[in-house]
Amino acid sequence: MDLSQKIVWNGYSTLAGLIAAIVTKKAVDSAWTFVTGEEPPEPNNPETPTTHAAIWVLAMAAGVGLSQVLVNRFIAERWEKHTGEASPIRQVNLKL
């Protein structure tokens, strides 16, 4: 992969990751509100019950982890479709 492809890949994956992070935050916030009927807690606030803070952090971690996998797979497929080459994600896995 040449330098221009690396620049395009980094820009593309960064933009996709940023969009995914925003969407994931809104989705987890909405899910929390739907399930509990309350606004999402601020886990760093000492007045937030520890159980609420821990559940919130676990829910957010699960949402971010899932969105990261889905976005990585999506951008790798798009990259391979448009360039005809293995994506940088797949290239790393092939070297292992």
Side-chain angles (χ1 to χ4, degrees), residues 6-63:
K6 286 181 182 180
I7 291 170
V8 170
W9 171 260
N10 287 336
Y12 187 52
S13 61
T14 299
L15 180 62
L18 178 62
I19 292 169
I22 292 168
V23 170
T24 300
K25 172 78 166 97
K26 290 184 183 276
V28 174
D29 284 351
S30 296
W32 180 276
T33 303
F34 178 76
V35 170
T36 66
E38 301 173 1
E39 290 296 312
E42 171 51 54
N44 297 315
N45 185 344
E47 295 176 8
T48 300
T50 303
T51 54
H52 284 185
I55 292 168
W56 171 250
V57 169
L58 290 172
M60 186 59 75

Side-chain angles (χ1 to χ4, degrees), residues 47-91:
E47 295 176 8
T48 300
T50 303
T51 54
H52 284 185
I55 292 168
W56 171 250
V57 169
L58 290 172
M60 186 59 75
V64 168
L66 177 61
S67 70
Q68 182 180 9
V69 167
L70 295 175
V71 166
N72 285 343
R73 292 173 59 95
F74 174 78
I75 61 173
E77 289 171 3
R78 300 282 296 172
W79 179 268
E80 291 171 11
K81 181 180 178 181
H82 289 297
T83 66
E85 299 177 6
S87 69
I89 291 172
R90 189 179 303 247
Q91 289 175 6

Side-chain angles (χ1 to χ4, degrees), residues 1 6 86-96:
M1 178 184 306
K6 286 181 182 180
S87 69
I89 291 172
R90 189 179 303 247
Q91 289 175 6
V92 168
N93 291 334
L94 293 174
K95 290 178 185 177
L96 294 177

